[in-house]
Amino acid sequence: MMVSFFDQFASPSFLGIPLIAIAIALPWVLFPTPPARWVNNRLITVQTWFINRFTNQLMLPLNVGGHKWALLLASLMIFLITINMLGLLPYTFTPTTQLSLNMGLAVPLWLATVIIGMRNQPTVALGHLLPEGAPIPLIPVLIIIETISLFIRPLALGVRLTANLTAGHLLIQLIATAVFVLLPMMPTVAILTAAVLFLLTLLEVAVAMIQAYVFVLLLSLYLQENV
């Protein structure tokens, strides 16, 4: 029984062909295409308003040089939200529960921010490794600690997204299994458990959106240090 709980996180395949590429590409098909008319429909209007508000909020602390990342970060945010939300539907697969995918997104983007900092302002970028006013005997230790914390950043990005989504899916499956088991024996308890399951599902919808926002927000903070 415990093994079957984790079967939902196994990458699906058909005739030995991994289907994770389809799961990743499918969200882009669902996005409405803006028409050539001046007046759009309500869905595109809401989508455009959301993207504009998010981009303005994200680019607020960045200087003009960091605004080049607006399209990339906004696209990543919408992509992660869509994948996380679709993963809450029954009989679906959530690619962002795979640590390999999340690390594949986190490492290149984090490395790009570091390379930009080393290229544009190497003195400031290296200055982050040593806090100002540090005692001379502690300088080697502090440099090692700050270097380790720098390289842990992409790992924290990937693990945070994976762990939160995996834990939420496991809780939903555990409570749903308890509802089906308790229904013939204790209907009242099963109804109360189903109410808890409904509230947990609403919480997971919020977590799916918040974790995507946190992922992109932390990337923007890393970018802010290097531009």
Side-chain angles (χ1 to χ4, degrees), residues 90-126:
Y91 302 104
T92 56
F93 171 69
T94 312
T96 44
T97 57
Q98 305 294 312
L99 183 60
S100 57
L101 174 65
N102 296 333
M103 294 300 295
L105 293 174
V107 173
L109 293 174
W110 164 82
L111 188 60
T113 62
V114 174
I115 292 175
I116 287 175
M118 295 297 294
R119 185 186 65 178
N120 295 339
Q121 43 184 10
T123 304
V124 177
L126 293 175

Side-chain angles (χ1 to χ4, degrees), residues 20-42:
I20 188 172
I22 298 178
I24 294 175
L26 182 61
W28 300 110
V29 181
L30 303 177
F31 298 146
T33 303
R37 298 172 300 182
W38 282 99
V39 180
N40 297 323
N41 56 37
R42 292 183 179 88

Side-chain angles (χ1 to χ4, degrees), residues 17-67:
I17 302 175
L19 300 180
I20 188 172
I22 298 178
I24 294 175
L26 182 61
W28 300 110
V29 181
L30 303 177
F31 298 146
T33 303
R37 298 172 300 182
W38 282 99
V39 180
N40 297 323
N41 56 37
R42 292 183 179 88
L43 180 59
I44 296 180
T45 302
V46 171
Q47 175 184 333
T48 305
W49 176 85
F50 171 77
I51 294 176
N52 289 337
R53 293 293 299 174
F54 167 74
T55 305
N56 291 335
Q57 185 69 25
L58 201 62
M59 296 293 110
L60 192 60
L62 299 178
N63 56 23
V64 179
H67 292 179

